[in-house]
Amino acid sequence: MKADAVRDIALAHAIETSPPHEALPSAARCEAITQEVLHTLGKPALGGKAGQAAFAQFLQLRAKRIIQASQLPADVRQLWQHAPGLAHWAPLAIGLLALCLGFASHRITDPHRVDLMSLSLMGIVLWNLLMYTVLLLRSLLRLARRQPARVAPWEPTQPTPAGTAPSAAAADEHPGWIARLRGKAMPALRGSGLRKMALRFERNWWQASEGVRNAQWLLWLHLGAALVAVGALASLWLTGLTKEYQVGWESTFLSAPQVQHWLNLLFAPTQWLQWTTPWSLTDIQALQGWVSSSLPAAPSAPATQAMAAPASGVGARWVWAYTALLGATVVVPRVLLALWQGLRARWRSQHLQLPLNQAYFARLQRDFGGLATRLVLLPFSMDVTPERRAAIDHFATDLYGAGAHVDWLPTLAYGAALPAVDLAPAAQAIALINLSATPEAEVHGELLAQLRSRFGANGQLWLWASDFAARNAGAPRRLQEREALWQEFAQQHGFNAQLITTGT
């Protein structure tokens, strides 16, 4: 789905999941908008790609009308219209910083010399070669460990049933300094109920567009790496216009044959591309110490004379050599990698994903298709009493609407494998675990891994928290710690846990 459409849907989601406010449409008005959009679209397709496209069109049109029905202040509308990706100043800052860094690195280390063993120029080349190796290994590991893409849930991850207090984990939806900083950046919303709605939208939109933003960061980091090399070359050439370089090398520990071997290894890419012969031992020995750059360079071999650098002095020849080396190993590869990341960013901005397995979208799918949501519950190592069953059925109804249909499977014994379950395409497989249990990687981790691999995005984790909350009514901190422990454990296995705190 395109970025603009997802941004509208994220704002509509924030509006509908916020407490009632005079500037926002009521629940009844949102329901009327849903019916109006369904009437406008007519009878939609319900299967295959045509059904997915029709549902996406339904979400987009519905979101636009909900936004139109809202009286949003200018701060929220400005936040809503912000395109995905980096701030406008970030690319300029990265480019200028990279150029200055490259220019200064050569200017400080080799101000009046063309050092064959220049630490600044060789450092740029070797660092980039190391980064290419890391990128290649990461790509190979990602291919080897390829897993289904996980779409992070939007906040709030679950609605709070009427008459109940929010869970400890959801009590503060926007902790941390970033939220406080953003709150100060919207002074017009301070003290109003719209502030939390705006922060919620911003967080969900930031999360949904993360792939686009990451690709843009990589694009500019690659261009920044190329500009570091360009800055170093600019210093090398500009200094040579007004100064006569001293050319050569010196080392306490390396001999001339060792330097020859190292330089031929380092310059092998450009020697191959330019069809030039490797440096001879005589060339290297003649430059041990420092000589004037006006010293005539050794003539090239007849077969390669046409491809040699257009330089007669030894200094100019080495300036051209380092220019070709940085161009071939840094500038060109980094520009190509930046182009690839630019294409990725463009593709991702056209293919953002929604967390369609969340209750908010499940209810809209039910309204769109006129179908009930089927939930298959798999209790794990816990007794399901009639009271617990009734409370969980009520929770499912609050979450997915009156059309939710819950199928209960027999309770799994502790350590038992996940049974074979035949799910319909839109059904949800839900593992039900007692919050009183301490998460164990060998038992609960294995269960969640099976749930994830078998059902993918249609798998969920519900935690029965009522018993633990009742036993620790006087110790809310312990309840918070247990909820945080389970949430972290669930996220490590690709889930966002839903807590059930009603019933006994």
Side-chain angles (χ1 to χ4, degrees):
M1 187 177 292
K2 292 184 178 181
D4 291 344
V6 174
R7 182 176 55 195
D8 292 347
I9 294 169
L11 182 57
H13 171 272
I15 291 172
E16 291 187 87
T17 54
S18 295
H21 191 276
E22 59 184 6
L24 305 179
S26 63
R29 176 60 183 139
C30 291
E31 182 63 29
I33 289 175
T34 300
Q35 298 304 320
E36 291 172 6
V37 173
L38 288 173
H39 179 74
T40 301
L41 295 178
K43 186 175 181 180
L46 298 179
K49 292 186 177 180
Q52 295 175 5
F55 182 59
Q57 184 183 11
F58 163 73
L59 291 176
Q60 295 174 44
L61 183 56
R62 181 179 179 275
K64 287 182 178 296
R65 295 195 179 184
I66 288 176
I67 295 171
Q68 291 172 357
S70 305
Q71 303 298 321
L72 300 176
D75 285 351
V76 177
R77 290 193 175 273
Q78 183 179 4
L79 187 65
W80 163 51
Q81 293 168 359
H82 190 273
L86 306 182
H88 296 301
W89 56 265
L92 181 61
I94 292 174
L96 288 177
L97 180 63
L99 272 174
C100 293
L101 180 63
F103 192 93
S105 67
H106 177 264
R107 188 73 176 175
I108 293 172
T109 56
D110 300 304
H112 304 300
R113 293 177 175 179
V114 176
D115 189 353
L116 276 59
M117 302 288 288
S118 171
L119 289 178
S120 60
L121 299 180
M122 288 195 301
I124 292 173
V125 173
L126 295 178
W127 172 256
N128 280 274
L129 293 178
L130 176 62
M131 289 300 100
Y132 300 153
T133 304
V134 171
L135 291 174
L136 178 60
L137 291 177
R138 286 186 60 186
S139 300
L140 293 176
L141 286 175
R142 196 177 293 116
L143 288 174
R145 301 176 181 177
R146 194 160 190 174
Q147 296 179 351
R150 175 178 176 264
V151 182
W154 287 1
E155 292 184 354
T157 55
Q158 62 187 67
T160 303
T164 63
S167 68
D172 184 6
E173 294 182 25
H174 299 280
W177 64 271
I178 294 180
R180 291 195 293 270
L181 185 63
R182 288 301 303 155
K184 292 179 180 178
M186 294 182 286
L189 302 183
R190 195 174 301 165
S192 71
L194 296 179
R195 178 179 175 276
K196 182 174 287 188
M197 184 274 293
L199 290 173
R200 178 184 294 165
F201 159 72
E202 185 180 36
R203 174 172 289 192
N204 290 336
W205 172 230
W206 180 271
Q207 182 174 272
S209 59
E210 182 180 10
V212 179
R213 193 170 56 257
N214 288 346
Q216 289 181 343
W217 271 116
L218 291 174
L219 182 155
W220 281 103
L221 288 177
H222 286 308
L223 287 181
L227 289 174
V228 169
V230 171
L233 291 176
S235 173
L236 183 66
W237 281 87
L238 290 176
T239 303
L241 290 177
T242 57
K243 304 289 183 182
E244 182 178 0
Y245 280 127
Q246 294 294 308
V247 186
W249 64 276
E250 57 186 5
S251 176
T252 303
F253 303 106
L254 298 179
S255 63
Q258 290 174 323
V259 172
Q260 178 206 13
H261 179 74
W262 164 246
L263 290 177
N264 282 329
L265 181 64
L266 184 66
F267 283 87
T270 57
Q271 290 172 351
W272 180 77
L273 289 173
Q274 293 180 303
W275 297 355
T276 55
T277 56
W279 310 111
S280 66
L281 183 58
T282 303
D283 295 333
I284 304 303
Q285 288 175 335
L287 296 176
Q288 189 170 6
W290 300 101
V291 300
S292 172
S293 63
S294 59
L295 182 72
S300 301
T304 61
Q305 194 168 7
M307 299 297 294
S312 57
V314 65
R317 181 183 182 188
W318 279 96
V319 168
W320 276 103
Y322 264 111
T323 301
L325 178 65
L326 289 175
T329 60
V330 180
V331 178
V332 173
R334 288 290 191 173
V335 169
L336 292 177
L337 288 171
L339 178 62
W340 165 245
Q341 293 299 334
L343 294 175
R344 286 184 68 223
R346 182 178 178 83
W347 186 89
R348 288 188 172 189
S349 68
Q350 304 294 319
H351 297 83
L352 297 185
Q353 292 183 300
L354 298 172
L356 295 178
N357 62 329
Q358 274 190 259
Y360 173 83
F361 292 102
R363 285 196 299 270
L364 293 177
Q365 285 178 324
R366 183 198 67 214
D367 295 337
F368 175 74
L371 303 174
T373 303
R374 181 173 177 240
L375 308 174
V376 179
L377 260 69
L378 301 108
F380 181 79
S381 188
M382 63 175 287
D383 295 330
V384 182
T385 63
E387 292 79 12
R388 288 179 175 177
R389 183 186 292 262
I392 294 170
D393 286 342
H394 181 71
F395 177 81
T397 301
D398 286 341
L399 208 57
Y400 288 95
H405 179 72
V406 181
D407 290 338
W408 287 84
L409 296 186
T411 300
L412 294 176
Y414 181 82
L418 197 68
V421 179
D422 187 16
L423 279 187
Q428 302 287 316
I430 302 169
L432 178 64
I433 301 177
N434 200 322
L435 185 69
S436 301
T438 302
E440 301 177 23
E442 298 80 4
V443 180
H444 303 100
E446 181 63 26
L447 176 71
L448 295 183
Q450 294 177 17
L451 189 70
R452 179 71 177 167
S453 63
R454 194 172 300 177
F455 303 111
N458 289 340
Q460 293 191 47
L461 171 63
W462 287 7
L463 296 174
W464 175 254
S466 297
D467 296 344
F468 191 84
R471 288 200 305 270
N472 295 276
R477 185 173 183 82
R478 187 179 180 190
L479 177 61
Q480 294 176 14
E481 291 174 350
R482 181 57 61 89
E483 290 181 7
L485 178 64
W486 265 105
Q487 286 287 6
E488 181 181 1
F489 183 80
Q491 289 172 5
Q492 290 174 355
H493 291 83
F495 293 93
N496 186 78
Q498 304 264 23
L499 271 70
I500 307 173
T501 56
T502 60
T504 57

